[in-house]
Amino acid sequence: MNLPKLQIFKIGGNVINDNLQLNAFLSSFAKLSGYKILVHGGGKIASEIGKSLGMQAKVINGRRITDAETLKVVTMVYGGLINNNIVAVLQSFGCNAIGLSGADANILTAHKRPANEIDYGFVGDIEEDKIPVKTIDLFLKNNLVPVIAPLTHDGIGNILNTNADTIANTIATAMSNECEVELMYCFEKKGVMKDFNDKNSMLTKISFSEYGNLQRDGIINDGMIPKLDNAFLALKKGVKSVTIMHANAIDDILKNLKPTGTQLYV
Amino acid sequence: MNLPKLQIFKIGGNVINDNLQLNAFLSSFAKLSGYKILVHGGGKIASEIGKSLGMQAKVINGRRITDAETLKVVTMVYGGLINNNIVAVLQSFGCNAIGLSGADANILTAHKRPANEIDYGFVGDIEEDKIPVKTIDLFLKNNLVPVIAPLTHDGIGNILNTNADTIANTIATAMSNECEVELMYCFEKKGVMKDFNDKNSMLTKISFSEYGNLQRDGIINDGMIPKLDNAFLALKKGVKSVTIMHANAIDDILKNLKPTGTQLYV
């Protein structure tokens, strides 16, 4: 049986912080035909608003600690400001977007991460087996385009903060029984670079075995490791392709070209 | 042909500001069987957060002026914080809520109110004929319960601030061809009072002709007039019933009783 294609894009803070780049991306995203989902991250604005409210961002090992006040700010900024504005812009481009946080239609149930050495606060780890595939399918079949904010809920009344990469990866995996899922992580570089200082050193492909070597050789660094770990896991669980690419490379896809970027394979 | 019943509740700031009352209301709302929609207003928290951000609320003739900064705050607070939290609480009560701002699924298109004597700023007047009845129907038929924030969009990429009473009334009218719509405006009083100082003076019914008399006699005051004007218009356009009631009176409805409150009729 031929499964329908589903394209899932994740855009991060660097795209969201740059209005021109964001609107260019959304304009292209709106033009893509077929099933599609957009997952967005946060961006500087949450920290800026937190700061204006007199809060100090708490970061341990590169991870933001979500205390009760921070949770309020990210719920406002991710679930309100960023999500609503992306949806309004997509609507202006004729794309029938529908903004969702994890509580909406029960899309992403999570449990609060247990406090071990580090207490991350109100951070949710997704309960993957509870993703309502049929509801997401209902949206797609009715030409509604989910735009998912990096927020989950714990099923007992609380919103939780959750990493957008992980959400993209988890939704992609959950949908891979229903659809042929292509997952695109968009960021500010062309792809994974072999040499950080050489912009022509992009790796066009990385296999899972090469990935091990690249980590050992220190070519793939800290920030990239959780992203790629997740991505390879998604491939192993049935996602058809994962590409790490610049947000602009969506225009390659619009032209039916393979996007410039780093393709992962197992 | 028997149309299915649709119950639309509007809750305002006073219910939202009181966590205990809000949760009690949501617990009862979750238990209601059949098609239902919740429209929520703002509440003090938008002003409080605006204040923390160093903004001053601008109000002319009792109406908030929505400048660009205020628009950001209401988008964050109404569309993010309040909407997400209501949805998360409803989910905890087993109600499959889905939070919507006006841009989501193109539910509420509006045009920015023209600046005449007063420039209200980024305030939207709803384009009633553009409400996608079929999309709302799709949600209801799939047991998704819309929870609508008081935000609309202008179709060219901007979110606008819109009065929640008006949204409730407009959605009710738009759905009245598909459903037998009952509209319940919940607020902090039992209903419309004949004597402001006598809590036993509630009017159980007001006809449209009595409404004229009550206005002339000064019994129905400024704040109530736009609410009731809208409500009578909805009745004339096909909404089956409009009740002005205390949020707690939802428990009468749960018991299949006529809710304590003021019933309007034409």
Side-chain angles (χ1 to χ4, degrees), chain B residues 174-192:
Chain B
M175 294 306 292
S176 61
N177 281 327
E178 320 281 315
C179 297
E180 208 175 79
V181 181
E182 300 178 359
L183 176 57
M184 273 70 65
Y185 285 110
C186 300
F187 74 151
E188 73 277 20
K189 296 202 177 65
K190 271 189 182 172
V192 179

Side-chain angles (χ1 to χ4, degrees), chain B residues 183-236:
Chain B
L183 176 57
M184 273 70 65
Y185 285 110
C186 300
F187 74 151
E188 73 277 20
K189 296 202 177 65
K190 271 189 182 172
V192 179
M193 297 293 161
K194 197 160 185 180
D195 176 356
F196 199 74
N197 297 311
D198 176 3
K199 61 177 182 167
N200 295 317
S201 68
M202 189 188 78
L203 297 160
T204 54
K205 283 182 173 189
I206 304 176
S207 71
F208 187 63
S209 59
E210 287 165 338
Y211 174 50
N213 298 337
L214 289 166
Q215 275 187 73
R216 204 188 43 222
D217 299 345
I219 288 168
I220 288 176
N221 64 0
D222 291 352
M224 218 50 191
I225 291 172
K227 201 190 274 283
L228 291 185
D229 278 353
N230 273 333
F232 278 111
L233 201 62
L235 285 171
K236 284 180 179 174

Side-chain angles (χ1 to χ4, degrees), chain A residues 101-109 130-132 153 155, chain B residues 87 91 96-97 144:
Chain A
S101 85
D104 291 324
N106 212 16
I107 289 291
L108 293 162
T109 311
K130 289 192 182 161
I131 292 180
H153 79 119
Chain B
V87 170
Q91 289 288 353
N96 201 4
L144 290 165

Side-chain angles (χ1 to χ4, degrees), chain B residues 44-200:
Chain B
K44 276 186 301 191
I45 187 166
S47 314
E48 284 168 6
I49 287 180
K51 221 170 166 183
S52 305
L53 291 170
M55 294 160 50
Q56 275 202 311
K58 283 167 219 150
V59 178
I60 300 184
N61 295 349
R63 290 246 179 189
R64 178 195 291 272
I65 305 299
T66 310
D67 60 12
E69 286 303 303
T70 305
L71 181 66
K72 268 192 193 174
V73 172
V74 298
T75 306
M76 292 196 298
V77 174
Y78 302 166
L81 194 59
I82 296 177
N83 193 269
N84 276 299
N85 280 322
I86 288 177
V87 170
V89 170
L90 284 175
Q91 289 288 353
S92 77
F93 293 132
C95 168
N96 201 4
I98 180 166
L100 301 169
S101 87
D104 292 323
N106 212 17
I107 290 292
L108 293 162
T109 311
H111 51 268
K112 189 169 173 290
R113 186 172 300 165
N116 295 326
E117 300 100 75
I118 301 174
D119 181 0
Y120 289 104
F122 296 97
V123 166
D125 290 319
I126 302 169
E127 295 174 358
E128 298 170 24
D129 52 331
K130 289 191 183 162
I131 292 181
V133 171
K134 277 190 200 318
T135 304
I136 298 175
D137 224 37
L138 178 78
F139 295 144
L140 298 175
K141 283 189 175 133
N142 286 280
N143 294 317
L144 290 165
V145 177
V147 175
I148 303 177
L151 299 169
T152 55
H153 78 121
D154 65 1
I156 52 171
N158 306 298
I159 296 290
L160 295 168
N161 193 4
T162 295
N163 178 274
D165 284 347
T166 311
I167 289 178
N169 163 74
T170 312
I171 298 265
T173 304
M175 294 306 292
S176 61
N177 281 327
E178 320 281 315
C179 297
E180 208 175 79
V181 181
E182 300 178 359
L183 176 57
M184 273 70 65
Y185 285 110
C186 300
F187 74 151
E188 73 277 20
K189 296 202 177 65
K190 271 189 182 172
V192 179
M193 297 293 161
K194 197 160 185 180
D195 176 356
F196 199 74
N197 297 311
D198 176 3
K199 61 177 182 167
N200 295 317

Side-chain angles (χ1 to χ4, degrees), chain A residues 147-161:
Chain A
V147 174
I148 303 176
L151 299 169
T152 55
H153 79 119
D154 65 2
I156 52 171
N158 305 297
I159 295 290
L160 296 169
N161 193 4

Side-chain angles (χ1 to χ4, degrees), chain A residues 13-55:
Chain A
N14 46 74
V15 184
I16 289 165
N17 292 333
D18 177 342
N19 244 328
L20 272 181
Q21 199 179 12
L22 176 62
N23 283 359
F25 174 85
L26 295 176
S27 160
S28 298
F29 178 81
K31 289 187 193 115
L32 285 176
S33 57
Y35 293 170
K36 56 194 173 186
I37 292 175
L38 181 60
V39 179
H40 66 82
K44 276 187 300 194
I45 188 167
S47 312
E48 284 168 8
I49 288 180
K51 221 170 165 183
S52 304
L53 291 170
M55 293 160 49

